Amino acid sequence: MIETIRKLAEAYGPSGREEDVHRIVLEELKNHIDGYKFDRVGNLIVWKDGKSGKKVMLDAHSDEIGLVVTNIDKNGFLRVETVGGVPPHPYVGQRVKFPQCTGIVYVEGETSQDMKKNFSNLSFDVMYVDIGASSYEEAQKVAPIGTFGVYDSRFMQNGDFLTSKAMDDRVGCAVVIEVLKRLNSPNNTVYCSFSTQEEIGLMGARVAGYDIMPEACIAIDVTASSDTPKAFKRHAMVLKKGPAIKVKDRASISDRKIVDKLIELAEESGIPYQMEVLTMGGTNAAAFQATASGIASATVSIPTRYVHTPSETVHLDDIKNCVNLLIEYVQKGV
Amino acid sequence: MYLKELTEIGGVSGDESRVRDFIASKIKDKVDETHVDKLGNLIALKKGKKNGKRFLLAAHMDEIGFMVTNIEDDGTLSFSPIGGVDPRVVPGKRVKIADKVTGVIGYKAIHLQKKEEIFKVPAFENLRIYIGTDSKEASSKLVNIGDSVVFTTEYREENGRATGKAFDDRAGCSVMMDLIDNIDRYDFDVYFAFLVQEEVGLRGSAVIAEQIQPDVAIVLEGTTAGDNPEVPEYKWATHIGDGPAVTFMHRGYVVSSKVVQNIMSIAQKNGIPYQAKRRTAGGTDAARLAGTWRGVPSGVISVPSRYIHSPVSMIDLNDYHNTVGLVEKILDEGEVFFK
Amino acid sequence: MDIKKILVELSNTDGPSGYEEAVLQKIEKLIAPYVDRTWRNSMSTLIAEKRGNGKGKLGVFAHADEVGFVISKIEEDGFARIEVTGGIDPKVSMAQRVKIYTRDGATSGVIGFLAPHLQKEEDRKSMPHPDNIFADISCSEKRIRVGDVSVPDVEACEINSKISGKALDNRSGCASLIWAAKMLQKIRNEWDLYFIFSSEEEIAGPGARTIAYELNLDKAIVVDVTHANEKVPGYPLIKLGEGPVLTVGPMVDKSFKDKISEICSRNGLKTQIEPAPIHSGTDADEVQITRIGISTTVVSIPLLFMHSPVETVDPKDVEETARLIAVVAAEMEV
């Protein structure tokens, strides 16, 4: 499973450009699913037939945050804007991978005062990307306006701590893949969406459930973790205590019946879990809840340190326990 | 080209009927069907020769403006913006209320202001429309709370440029009307949706996908330019005169790369100038179309416009004609969008 | 049962967003005698149907949820951190006893506030930030967990024939629907009427839009509350006791609103007017743009001190709102 996580997390897949990730997902799922399709906005939807006549859905988004080239100057330096509304801080001095080249992000400033000001009010307005081009034409060839980039970051394992860019939400993709691999003749039919464009506003998930309308849907995503020095004090989530059953974030309140069922199943099977209230953010569950006549939906999260940085860090135990909990749910939850 | 007539009609979000009536009167004999839906969107259909695929073109009819929110004791009107209007473009303008009453938005004379007041940003809650009356009773005979208020700028062409109000998005409406004037019959159905309530949250387009169920959509817009001497070139969104702007991403939606590629290669093949829109701020109805029903892959092509959301905006007429030309070619080669 | 009693009873029942079950049960009991049937959909929305002549469907919406709190973290020594559900001003939350719903039933907590003697001078200048607010749960004998929901612990009362209590946003709306159903026992409604008690309005959730989709309504009246006796510069003053308020704005079908105005004046029913240039801030904003569009209007009950534990309404306004619904259902042509 670690290898799957590595492959997925290192893949290039900013919002709207998820093809590589979907290809890896399909390779992993070969012989483990009964069918798949790409819908009209690029969501990959796979399924495994059950016998109960009921449908349950799992969702993990396949995109990651990134940058997009918006301008190129005459000396070949790029200007960028954010894809996914992330603050620019993690990008300072960071390498960014475009499909045809790699660049370095840095901050402009003609005087030391400028530099100080630009660093303290950091924004992409005062940042540029150096791709080693020396003219507009040269840059335009390899990174034309509209090219998307992601952190250039390698997967790393520290004991059972796993670190990479894009754990948000490739770790969710890996969890869903593992659930499908381990489900032999499922009770309920399981649909899984590897949704596009979550980071820019839950775009793909708004339509992914429309033709399926399952009895229930669980979005698997990452959540903040408060087990680092002076971490956010209103959050309870920590690594190693199991998957977090979300009650609320800023976009949705998890369906109460699903939450109760998840707790019941976790306690029955002795799977460690924690409860989550996130004072920010949102997941695809909000989009599924609002689909057509409504899909009862909840979120199960993998606590993650340093979300939206090149070093998103998760713990293997939480991932394994998340898989166990979801298998229980898709078998017995609806 | 219908830019003069279209931009001089008032049609604030939620009160688009006059724009709709004008468009309907001009297009109804040139298409196979028109109808007005429950929200007030005007939908026209040019049927295809073969039954099957549906190509949607969409532009919004509404413009930014104001609503009368109260009639004050002195007969002046309080008002609040509909859509994103900067209060700094409002004082000293003439407006029309409910398409009948003329008013002016005055401001205390410079002589009477303290020095520090001159550069203060006016607040909508302190601005009033004067309609020549001196009592609540007198004003109440002329206007109602909830009436819409629009700027009254006349359209003008000079030196290859057009100035006027509401190019966002009467430019898109006019492009669609030009297309309808000369439209061929294609294999596929072509739907034209003239939409309401874009400026208040992409609302008209929210009910379109479910009704028409299109296979692909192209949204036609009048979009921001930003190419003025106070803005460094790398912050421009578009440059007027460089051709229609093709959007690769904006708020809430990364445009399907297939759609972007198709648009750009059709432009290249036909020698039509175009530019990539270089900023990602702002949204269009494409985000709604992609995110409702089963999702509609949607592109955005815009006529670059300076100073939008103000009483006077500016476009280059070549950009306008090139937009019409580009969309015509897109329809001619429409089949590639269904692959 | 009179309208005051209904208001008090509904105000005293607790149902923060996503946890409306107790409120819905109470409403179901109250409305059932006056309608043909009641049911719940997959999103836990309560629907009460009163058939008309079968030619058109009119949905009358009132959200059943209220603003509240949710426990986000358990601290040591009997304290907890909290997150708000919906927009609550910290000024009306300080030094407030709250009810907390644990898995083993309701218990108490106190949102504590430091005595003036111990405050620092600079702290007196501003309200505490939500991050610095805490609930003291040491007075609870029950185990409180992350995700447990909470509301102010107050009982509604009568003040000079007005009703004051928590959650009158929007239990007043709910009461007006129940009362309208009661009035319609004697009047025959032309429209097929659906009284809809939906969830999660306070977090802009999916309750109203999903049932609007499911029922495929022709027309919708969204009943909510609005600020009374508060002069907002540039806006007309809405007064308590002066009758229901009709909204004008893009989310309202003007011809529908005009028709309602006409029916009201024919029936000697006084209404007030409220302009909403962009959003109404009610479920109408989403209901109008459901499916192929729904002709929608907003009717509001004047209310004082919104989102506080001392929200206040005039029962006459609630009755008049009920009468408005009844006469529209009876007299408007399908």
Side-chain angles (χ1 to χ4, degrees), chain B residues 181-258:
Chain B
D181 281 344
N182 298 305
I183 191 168
D184 294 327
R185 200 171 286 283
Y186 295 99
D187 282 350
F188 47 86
D189 292 343
V190 184
Y191 282 88
F192 297 88
F194 297 90
L195 303 171
V196 297
Q197 296 194 30
E198 191 270 353
E199 299 289 359
V200 290
L202 318 178
R203 300 175 59 76
S205 54
V207 303
I208 289 296
E210 192 104 22
Q211 285 185 74
I212 299 177
Q213 314 202 336
D215 294 284
V216 65
I218 298 215
V219 170
L220 300 167
E221 267 286 1
T223 199
T224 46
D227 50 344
N228 78 52
E230 289 295 312
V231 180
E233 192 175 337
Y234 68 86
K235 289 186 187 167
W236 294 356
T238 59
H239 180 34
I240 74 171
D242 283 359
V246 181
T247 297
F248 52 82
M249 171 190 170
H250 63 49
R251 187 176 63 230
Y253 180 51
V254 176
V255 178
S256 144
S257 52
K258 212 175 77 183

Side-chain angles (χ1 to χ4, degrees), chain C residues 286-333:
Chain C
E286 286 295 324
V287 169
Q288 185 204 30
I289 55 172
T290 299
R291 267 191 199 257
I292 63 166
I294 296 172
S295 159
T296 301
T297 194
V298 184
V299 177
S300 303
I301 297 166
L303 171 138
L304 303 177
F305 320 124
M306 201 183 290
H307 289 195
S308 83
V310 294
E311 295 182 331
T312 303
V313 292
D314 188 332
K316 278 190 308 199
D317 290 331
V318 181
E319 278 177 326
E320 285 296 89
T321 303
R323 195 152 77 85
L324 181 152
I325 298 165
V327 294
V328 168
E331 295 182 21
M332 191 172 65
E333 280 170 31

Side-chain angles (χ1 to χ4, degrees), chain A residues 295-308:
Chain A
I295 299 169
S297 305
T299 303
V300 173
S301 312
I302 305 288
T304 305
R305 292 178 184 166
Y306 325 119
V307 173
H308 289 172

Side-chain angles (χ1 to χ4, degrees), chain A residues 241-291:
Chain A
K241 281 207 176 156
I245 300 171
K246 182 176 305 232
V247 172
K248 179 185 186 295
D249 58 29
R250 281 293 161 106
S252 73
I253 290 173
S254 288
D255 183 86
R256 185 182 184 174
K257 288 187 222 120
I258 299 179
V259 168
D260 289 348
K261 195 73 194 175
L262 285 165
I263 292 170
E264 183 192 316
L265 291 169
E267 290 187 347
E268 254 173 40
S269 327
I271 300 167
Y273 72 95
Q274 49 189 322
M275 298 303 293
E276 171 190 353
V277 172
L278 186 70
T279 60
M280 49 186 79
T283 74
N284 277 342
F288 283 102
Q289 287 181 348
T291 300

Side-chain angles (χ1 to χ4, degrees), chain A residues 16-187:
Chain A
R17 301 288 181 270
E18 298 87 354
E19 296 82 357
D20 286 359
V21 180
H22 286 158
R23 193 175 34 76
I24 295 169
V25 170
L26 283 177
E27 276 165 19
E28 289 285 332
L29 286 176
K30 217 171 178 181
N31 306 322
H32 294 287
I33 48 175
D34 292 318
Y36 75 90
K37 68 163 188 179
F38 288 98
D39 74 7
R40 302 159 55 105
V41 297
N43 296 311
L44 168 61
I45 292 166
V46 308
W47 57 89
K48 198 158 184 168
D49 297 328
K51 36 197 183 295
S52 71
K54 288 183 182 161
K55 294 179 275 191
V56 58
M57 190 155 178
L58 302 177
D59 170 87
H61 65 88
S62 47
D63 64 318
E64 66 188 291
I65 56 150
L67 298 176
V68 63
V69 180
T70 52
N71 256 297
I72 303 170
D73 75 13
K74 61 181 192 305
N75 298 320
F77 289 95
L78 314 179
R79 295 286 172 167
V80 290
E81 288 184 20
T82 174
V83 178
V86 173
H89 303 82
Y91 285 98
V92 177
Q94 170 70 34
R95 287 173 215 175
V96 174
K97 192 163 62 180
F98 298 100
Q100 297 182 65
C101 62
T102 300
I104 301 109
V105 187
Y106 206 62
V107 182
E108 65 182 22
E110 292 180 303
T111 63
S112 51
Q113 282 104 313
D114 268 6
M115 267 318 208
K116 213 169 155 187
K117 196 177 108 221
N118 290 347
F119 269 96
S120 52
N121 306 305
L122 201 62
S123 88
F124 285 110
D125 280 354
V126 295
M127 296 165 78
Y128 57 85
V129 181
D130 175 356
I131 54 165
S134 13
S135 69
Y136 174 91
E137 290 71 25
E138 217 178 295
Q140 174 72 21
K141 254 182 234 153
V142 288
I145 289 166
T147 304
F148 290 72
V150 299
Y151 293 126
D152 184 25
S153 152
R154 294 273 129 174
F155 178 86
M156 171 179 93
Q157 186 172 1
N158 252 343
D160 283 341
F161 290 92
L162 311 178
T163 297
S164 174
K165 76 164 179 72
M167 284 298 186
D168 173 10
D169 185 27
R170 304 294 157 65
V171 71
C173 296
V175 164
V176 174
I177 289 169
E178 188 66 16
V179 169
L180 287 167
K181 283 182 178 170
R182 280 179 36 199
L183 268 182
N184 294 316
S185 63
N187 179 29

Side-chain angles (χ1 to χ4, degrees), chain C residues 3-16:
Chain C
I3 194 81
K4 285 181 186 167
K5 255 189 163 155
I6 296 178
L7 284 168
V8 168
E9 195 175 330
L10 292 182
S11 167
N12 289 348
T13 309
D14 299 326

